[in-house]
Every structure is written in structure tokens, then in C-alpha cells.
Amino acid sequence: MTEFKYSLDKSSKKFICPSCGKRRLVRYINQISNEYHNEAFGRCDRETNCGYQNIPKQNECIAIVNIEKINIIPDFIEPTLVKQSLKKYCNNNFVKFLHNHFSKEEVENCISKYNIGTSKHWEGATVFWQINQTQKVHTGKIILFNEITGKRVKIPFPHINWVHKKINQDKFNLMQCLFGLHLLKTTIAMPLQYNCNTIAIVESEKTAIIMSLFIPEYKWMATGSKQNLKLQLLEPIKKENIVVYPDKGEFEDWNKKVIELQKQGFKIKCSSIVEKSEFETGADLADIYFAIKKDASKKTLEIVLSDTEKKIQRLSKINPSIISLIETFDLIDEKGNGIRIV
């Protein structure tokens, strides 16, 4: 079968049209790498017929012969490059962001667990290494984040690049794998209640790392893009229990793929927790958990205990029966106020 190298994205994702300014632009995607082409290339499908269309130049025909059934020999990155990146975390914006929300021990364990790297390609950039279950390095994605918000830097351009492109290796045959796939064969020492074999899959590497801190009992992995939820990448985990968490607005697309994977023997489910949330389109599971954490922290701060209540709190740790007495007899403090039990 013959197709063009670049074709319009068939998913439901839309971008801002450079002509009418509405989020109706369907961008062109590379059929080989599954990456979006230049952001200016696309077609506006606005109902009022904006008419904007910009087709990539040299959009030559290519032969597509069901790539998933071809035994392609992939190239790999030298493991020494991974080791060289495991430093200078004081300059790593993403690691700084993690330290703002989690303990030092949690962050350090996470860095080691996912081999989070630091890149000098951009000041403060992070490297997310794609390492498979046999510890071979497929590539590394370089991304620059804002250290305060944790969001990707997109101005004046999207700050995303690839290690295999930066090392100038001729004709590098890239075959991606799930981010976090190396965890499949590792035995992580953790409490008994965390010994769970469920693999949770999200879209972005950042979200997988953050969720591994919120819910450490799951093995968190990432597709790296919404197009990468496919047989080729999920084949190594076919025998595992899998739950996927699509971003807001992507549930329909991912759920269709999950149904097809179920027909092929996968034990996989698609969660609608993000889709049913009140967040805007594009939000992910980490956004929800950060909101829950912030709300819980706010409620805790709103409770200002009186001196008597503080004394009761301290005494109850020595003699818990004090709490029962207060609740049974509805005791009050010296000012006639009720005593709150926190």
C-alpha cells in the first residue's frame, strides 16, 4: 500500500489556526515517526470555512507495508550517554519542580528509578530515556520545563528534541519503546501493600513520573505521544494487567484502541477519570492529583486550633480515651466553645 509521508492527523486533537485563531487546525503527522510536522502545516476545519491549508513541501509517496509485521532491526544508544546525563540536577528544571512538591528522598528515588537525565542542549533541560525490558536504550527525549509550573516551554518554539538526532548518527533506525518499560523486569524493594503488578500508562513521561510519586504501587509508564498507544509498543507487556489513563479529550480515541487490543488478548482497560473531570481539554491525571493535594492542604490550613484543642491533641496521643470522653459527653472548653477533634 502506498501513502504520503505526511498526512492529516486522524485523531480528535486540534490546534490554534494561524489564520482564524480558533482551535480548529488539524496538523500533518509523519507516518513513519508518528511525530507532528512543523506547527504551521495543517488544515483548518472550521465550520465557517476559514479555508486555511498549508501542505508540507516534498510530501513524497512512501510504501507502507504494515510496519508492525516487519522485523526491523533498531539502532540503540550507548548506555554511557545515559550515565553521563545522571548529574547536575541543581540545573534540571523538572527536578526542581519535583522538589517543590515532594520530599527529597522521594525525588531522589524517582530519579534513580526512571534514570532521569539532565541535558545541556537547553539550560535546565531534562532527558527522558526510553530503556526497554532488556536495558537497551532506544533513545532519549529532551524537553525543557518551567521549574515553577512544571509545564513545557513552548515560547518562542516547542522545546523538544531527541538524543538520536543530537549525536548526528547517520541513518539511525529508531524504534521507540514505552517510557518506563525497563521497570518490567526490575524488582523494586517496597512495602508489602505496594506489591502490585498493575501497569498504568499515561501519555507524557512527566505525568508517569509524577504519578509514580502519588501512587507508587503501580508501575507507571508513558507512550510519549497519543499516537503511540499501539500494538508495537505494548507487545512486551501483553501478559500484564494494564490500565491506561488518556488525557482529557483523548478518551474516545484511546478507548477504541483498547478495545482492539482486548481482542488481541491484552488484559487492558481504559480509565475515564480524567475525561469525566471538570478540567479543560488537554489536562492529564497529574493535574487532577495536584488539585486534590492543593485542596487537601488548603483545608488543613483553614483549621486553626485553640490552645485547649492543641493540648487535647497532645494528650490524646498519650491517652486516646480522652477523645472518647469528649465525644461522649460533648465537652466544651473554658470559653464555652466546642472542642474539635482533628
Side-chain angles (χ1 to χ4, degrees), residues 3-64:
E3 291 186 6
F4 287 102
K5 180 178 181 180
Y6 300 106
S7 66
L8 290 169
D9 187 4
K10 297 178 182 179
S11 74
S12 59
K13 192 163 187 177
K14 303 293 174 62
F15 297 86
I16 300 296
C17 175
S19 178
C20 66
K22 302 295 183 181
R23 188 178 290 276
R24 303 293 298 179
L25 183 73
V26 180
R27 287 173 61 181
Y28 279 92
I29 192 167
N30 189 312
Q31 295 296 302
I32 300 175
S33 66
N34 279 322
E35 297 177 23
Y36 283 117
H37 196 39
N38 186 294
E39 58 186 13
F41 293 105
R43 185 182 69 191
C44 183
D45 65 352
R46 190 179 176 191
E47 294 178 359
T48 55
N49 193 20
C50 164
Y52 179 86
Q53 180 164 319
N54 192 358
I55 302 174
K57 297 178 178 60
Q58 299 179 340
N59 192 14
E60 70 270 17
C61 290
I62 56 174
I64 305 293

Side-chain angles (χ1 to χ4, degrees), residues 27-246:
R27 287 173 61 181
Y28 279 92
I29 192 167
N30 189 312
Q31 295 296 302
I32 300 175
S33 66
N34 279 322
E35 297 177 23
Y36 283 117
H37 196 39
N38 186 294
E39 58 186 13
F41 293 105
R43 185 182 69 191
C44 183
D45 65 352
R46 190 179 176 191
E47 294 178 359
T48 55
N49 193 20
C50 164
Y52 179 86
Q53 180 164 319
N54 192 358
I55 302 174
K57 297 178 178 60
Q58 299 179 340
N59 192 14
E60 70 270 17
C61 290
I62 56 174
I64 305 293
V65 194
N66 199 348
I67 194 169
E68 293 181 352
K69 294 184 178 181
I70 299 177
N71 293 322
I72 299 176
I73 301 176
D75 290 318
F76 297 104
I77 301 290
E78 287 294 328
T80 53
L81 290 180
V82 177
K83 294 180 181 180
Q84 290 171 6
S85 74
L86 305 180
K87 57 185 178 181
K88 297 185 178 180
Y89 293 112
C90 59
N91 297 330
N92 190 313
N93 287 0
F94 177 58
V95 172
K96 289 179 183 179
F97 171 77
L98 292 179
H99 277 298
N100 289 335
H101 297 275
F102 303 96
S103 70
K104 180 180 179 182
E105 182 180 4
E106 287 176 318
V107 175
E108 289 180 348
N109 287 339
C110 199
I111 289 172
S112 176
K113 179 179 178 180
Y114 283 97
N115 298 293
I116 301 175
T118 302
S119 172
K120 59 182 180 181
H121 181 61
W122 295 299
E123 182 66 26
T126 302
V127 186
F128 296 124
W129 296 103
Q130 290 186 11
I131 305 174
N132 67 23
Q133 71 276 24
T134 62
Q135 307 304 306
K136 290 184 177 180
V137 186
H138 288 242
T139 188
K141 186 187 291 186
I142 305 170
I143 304 180
L144 180 64
F145 294 94
N146 181 298
E147 65 180 273
I148 304 300
T149 64
K151 303 295 184 181
R152 288 196 291 113
V153 176
K154 300 180 180 180
I155 299 175
F157 59 89
H159 286 64
I160 299 180
N161 212 319
W162 296 88
V163 172
H164 66 271
K165 291 183 178 180
K166 298 305 298 179
I167 61 177
N168 296 321
Q169 186 170 332
D170 293 335
K171 297 181 180 179
F172 187 90
N173 190 7
L174 173 65
M175 183 179 291
Q176 295 191 57
C177 72
L178 288 169
F179 172 75
L181 184 59
H182 65 283
L183 299 176
L184 189 63
K185 295 299 182 181
T186 58
T187 303
I188 303 170
M190 55 176 58
L192 183 61
Q193 66 268 29
Y194 289 163
N195 285 336
C196 177
N197 292 322
T198 298
I199 292 178
I201 298 177
V202 291
E203 181 179 327
S204 80
E205 298 86 351
K206 181 192 80 171
T207 303
I209 289 170
I210 291 172
M211 291 310 304
S212 75
L213 291 163
F214 278 125
I215 310 179
E217 58 266 37
Y218 283 5
K219 290 181 180 179
W220 291 90
M221 300 182 187
T223 60
S225 71
K226 63 187 182 66
Q227 295 87 8
N228 271 349
L229 186 71
K230 54 186 180 182
L231 178 63
Q232 181 183 344
L233 266 71
L234 271 63
E235 189 69 48
I237 59 173
K238 184 173 183 178
K239 296 181 180 180
E240 310 296 326
N241 294 315
I242 308 167
V243 182
V244 301
Y245 296 88

